[in-house]
Amino acid sequence: MGARLIDGARIAQQLQAQLREQLATRLTPAGIVPGLTVLLVGENPASRIYVRRKIKACGEVGIRSNLIELPDTVAEARLLDEIERLNTDAAVDGILVQLPLPKHISVAKVQHAIRPEKDVDAFHPRNVGALVTGEPALEPCTPLGCLRLLEQESVAIQGRHAVIVGRSNIVGKPMALLLLQRSATVTICHSKTPDLGAITRQGDILVAAVGVPRLIKGSMVKPGAAVLDVGINRLPDGTLCGDVDFAEAREVAGLITPVPGGVGPMTIAMLLHNTVLAALRAHGAAR
Ligand code: GUN
């Protein structure tokens, strides 16, 4: 029997409809118009597509958005100056610098430069620290989106074994922390983990975020598991695939996200959520 598909695109649309409603009924009447500025450095084609989607989604829910494009030769100091200008601009609630950045620019310096209250990616060390200690702060979009999918599909987290494949700062590590906060038993695996399948087969919840096309075979999935595939890999023939071998894994899993149309749209929905939250907090109006 095949797994049930988790329709991330539909769930993201529902979240965006809720945000649009919240803006119309609560923020607009209070004179609050959330604003997001996206900085895009260089010509990376995938980044261009992602940024276009983010800007379009802002328009759909009523968030004011602004795209600043800089050439890949831009000096690091110029980018940092731009961030500082946005930090002090009251019309800007959220700042996002699309990754990856050219090699001559320090990602860490950029992440430190964004004011934590406007850091809708939640990559600033203060926001990362808050995630570790469980203090309220902005939380990173992709792991937050994964969590929403589990909640939406009524997947129990407490006491379950969550196995995460990938240890990135963007997904693997914060995903582990969010699941730990919800009382899962968490294991993080990575490219140096021997006998990966022996561990992934224990996962009631399996999150693949490692960037290796179809690494997770059906034999590596626990029967009935909830499988979240964060990978977006482009194959030589131009098609997209995840880090999970979807055709095999769906025969074993209980629930599974497709690629595309699974986790990806949720990342964008949570970016909008974070921008609205940042705007509410800036106006002292957050719950
Ligand atoms: N590049 C790939 N994923 C992300 C993300 O979540 N945020 C940013 N800023 N860049 C990315």
Side-chain angles (χ1 to χ4, degrees), residues 39 47 50 54 96-100 111 121 123 140-142 170-171 267:
L39 290 144
S47 290
Y50 298 144
K54 290 172 184 178
L96 182 147
V97 179
Q98 186 66 26
L99 301 176
Q111 290 173 345
D121 264 325
F123 294 160
C141 303
T142 300
I170 295 183
V171 185
T267 296

Side-chain angles (χ1 to χ4, degrees), residues 21-39:
E21 172 78 6
Q22 190 187 3
L23 258 71
T25 59
R26 196 161 156 222
L27 281 82
T28 309
I32 302 171
V33 184
L36 174 71
T37 294
V38 178
L39 290 144

Side-chain angles (χ1 to χ4, degrees), residues 31 121 126 132 164 274 284:
D121 264 325
R126 208 176 87 189
V132 174
I164 299 162
N274 274 353

